[in-house]
Amino acid sequence: MSSAVHEGRGTETSRVEPSSASILHADLDAFYASVEQRDNPSFRGKPVIVGGGVVLAASYEAKACGVKTAMGGSAARRLCPDAIVVSPRMHAYTEASKAVFEIFNDTTPLVEGISVDEAFLDVRGLWRIAGSPIDIATRLRARVKADVGLNITVGVARTKFLAKVASGVGKPDGLLVVPPARELEFLHPLPVQALWGVGKVTTEKLHRVGLFTVGDVADLSEERLVALVGAAAGHKLHSLAHNIDRRRVTTGKRRSSMGSQRAMGRRPKTHAEIEAELRGIVDRVTRRLRAADRVGRTVVVRFRFDDYTRATRSHTLTEATADTAPIMKASLDILDAMEATIERKGLTLIGLSVANLQNADAVQMTLPFADLSALDQAVDHVRDKFGTNSISRAVNVGKDQGYAVPMLPDR
DNA sequence: TCTGGGGTCCTAGGACCC
DNA sequence: TCTGGGGTCCTAGGACCC
């Protein structure tokens, strides 16, 4: 158990205070690898790597040898020859994730999932029924351990950003609280990479102008920061470095794209093989769309070549769909148009993602100008499909296209 | 170190509309 | 015939996150 900046009980005040540290960031430790160690007692205490070609997750024993997530598999084996390497068992991880999220949702109604293994929980307003955020976090950790058999680290702070940083610092198997009075003391000595959105490229940019800590970034004017990394990133970095983060914990967000991809190795492939792979991917994605009751308008096909350069090509349909046929056609058209490039450079990965997702019940039809008289047909279509006549405002979608008519069933 | 699979958000240019 | 500003959408690419 790692130490906490502050781990007292109820030392703040017993009232609900807007300024109190009441956002939790809960993050499972080395998630995939921990599930493997949980399910295989012989793996416990040993270095475990999940994933072959690339490291998806490494146990803390493997991390101790220098193995990192996203590292090439051969490099990882060189660093850690004794490591147990296992193939991912996605189903097991999904199950574990569900079980943990049930505990989250049982803790507070305000849960915002970030990925399979982490979430924000807002526990403001739970003092009376559940105690202080520290009490809640302590119980949450114990429950996850007892019920699911996994270690989880929790950061507690006044803002999302600080809570997230705190859980990172508190790993593994820790609880770390940032008291409101000591936020800058905690934040400013951290390296710039601790800022959300600062990866490899931005780190280098910042280092080049002599900025190494969050405090250094805070000393820079917003104008200079914007000039350095662009408008959006500049404003964001400025805010975070000055400890301004007004984002709320929000529930009920839906994803805006859904996709699948497949790495195919360097061996030469025929056009037929590539096409078969893409057809399979289109099938998978459209199936998942339908299962989730979602439809999308933009078809994005992703390519990666032998030299590891990448390209994407997209096509936006006039109407959102989850049907296989139109998405298949758009995908295959894109593949055909890329044929020459694929011949020349060699393909190592192909993927599809459907973006601009909407809920399936928000259907939209596009009527060409010439067919506007066919509005009656559109009404029939809606009535057949949804048993409603409700058609909302028609939108002109372009000179050559006509009007998009969103038809919303009144449910 | 030669490389997975799932995502998000931002930028910038061009087309188009008013 | 020449000309402006504001806005949205589409496309391609890049950075980043887990």
Side-chain angles (χ1 to χ4, degrees):
Chain A
M1 176 104 148
S2 73
S3 67
V5 168
H6 167 96
E7 213 177 337
R9 286 168 173 271
T11 51
E12 312 288 325
T13 153
S14 57
R15 288 180 298 115
V16 177
E17 287 220 341
S19 64
S20 68
S22 53
I23 293 177
L24 273 51
H25 180 260
D27 197 345
L28 291 156
D29 301 336
F31 180 43
Y32 294 178
S34 299
V35 173
E36 296 304 333
Q37 288 180 319
R38 178 195 69 178
D39 295 349
N40 267 290
S42 66
F43 291 177
R44 292 178 197 164
K46 294 182 186 155
V48 173
I49 292 173
V50 179
V54 143
V55 177
L56 296 179
S59 71
Y60 280 90
E61 296 81 3
K63 285 182 183 178
C65 316
V67 176
K68 292 193 170 86
T69 301
M71 181 181 269
S74 50
R77 276 187 289 271
R78 219 168 299 138
L79 284 168
C80 199
D82 298 334
I84 301 161
V85 181
V86 298
S87 300
R89 293 182 302 136
M90 288 301 167
H91 183 73
Y93 313 145
T94 306
E95 286 302 304
S97 175
K98 272 188 199 152
V100 173
F101 270 80
E102 267 173 36
I103 297 174
F104 291 165
N105 288 318
D106 195 38
T107 301
T108 170
L110 290 176
V111 177
E112 176 179 344
I114 306 295
S115 68
V116 282
D117 65 345
E118 60 177 304
F120 287 110
L121 289 80
D122 189 335
V123 300
R124 188 177 73 243
L126 296 183
W127 283 79
R128 206 168 286 267
I129 53 169
S132 75
I134 295 167
D135 294 338
I136 295 170
T138 302
R139 280 201 308 273
L140 176 70
R141 280 169 30 74
R143 264 190 83 182
V144 170
K145 183 74 184 170
D147 297 359
V148 194
L150 296 173
N151 290 335
I152 191 163
T153 296
V154 179
V156 185
R158 196 179 46 81
T159 67
K160 280 179 158 183
F161 172 56
L162 287 170
K164 163 102 177 150
V165 174
S167 73
V169 174
K171 275 181 174 298
D173 197 15
L175 167 62
L176 197 140
V177 183
V178 183
R182 294 171 64 183
E183 289 174 348
L184 290 183
E185 183 188 330
F186 171 73
L187 186 59
H188 279 177
L190 296 170
V192 291
Q193 293 96 307
L195 293 165
W196 231 348
V198 176
K200 197 167 172 284
V201 176
T202 309
T203 298
E204 270 165 30
K205 277 185 194 165
L206 297 174
H207 282 181
R208 226 175 291 137
V209 295
L211 308 176
F212 294 93
T213 66
V214 174
D216 293 342
V217 175
D219 287 340
L220 204 69
S221 76
E222 190 163 6
E223 292 72 33
R224 283 205 56 198
L225 218 42
V226 166
L228 202 60
V229 300
H235 294 308
K236 211 179 283 177
L237 256 49
H238 183 80
S239 293
L240 292 182
H242 284 273
N243 195 26
I244 299 166
D245 178 12
R246 299 202 163 84
R247 292 169 305 164
R248 302 259 157 218
V249 175
T250 55
T251 59
K253 259 190 232 159
R254 306 211 67 180
R255 70 171 114 192
S256 68
S257 75
M258 194 183 282
S260 178
Q261 59 184 55
R262 188 69 108 215
M264 297 182 295
R266 299 186 91 90
R267 102 203 128 67
K269 309 119 202 115
T270 64
H271 177 81
E273 279 178 275
I274 294 169
E275 187 181 314
E277 193 65 66
L278 182 57
R279 283 179 180 276
I281 290 170
V282 171
D283 237 26
R284 262 207 306 284
V285 172
T286 51
R287 224 183 282 272
R288 280 171 55 205
L289 281 170
R290 290 189 293 265
D293 263 321
R294 311 218 76 200
V295 290
R297 281 183 64 219
T298 304
V299 177
V300 185
V301 183
R302 183 181 321 281
F303 304 90
R304 194 184 66 195
F305 305 104
D306 281 5
D307 59 1
Y308 279 84
T309 56
R310 285 179 273 266
T312 61
R313 291 292 180 273
S314 64
H315 177 73
T316 299
L317 306 167
T318 50
E319 107 183 54
T321 181
D323 291 344
T324 308
I327 294 174
M328 185 70 78
K329 181 180 185 316
S331 303
L332 294 178
D333 285 351
I334 290 171
L335 177 62
D336 284 346
M338 286 297 282
E339 194 49 37
T341 312
I342 292 172
E343 286 285 321
R344 198 174 67 246
K345 302 180 81 173
L347 195 69
T348 60
L349 175 146
I350 191 159
L352 166 79
S353 146
V354 178
N356 275 329
L357 294 192
Q358 315 162 17
N359 292 339
D361 59 6
V363 168
Q364 183 168 298
M365 262 187 116
T366 300
L367 299 175
F369 292 108
D371 287 1
L372 278 185
S373 59
L375 212 55
D376 283 347
Q377 284 176 26
V379 174
D380 287 344
H381 175 84
V382 177
R383 193 183 295 123
D384 289 351
K385 206 156 175 175
F386 302 110
T388 169
N389 292 336
S390 164
I391 293 189
S392 63
R393 188 174 62 98
V395 184
N396 188 336
V397 291
K399 203 167 77 175
D400 304 320
Q401 293 182 25
Y403 285 87
V405 188
M407 294 173 280
L408 307 170
D410 31 39
R411 280 195 201 132

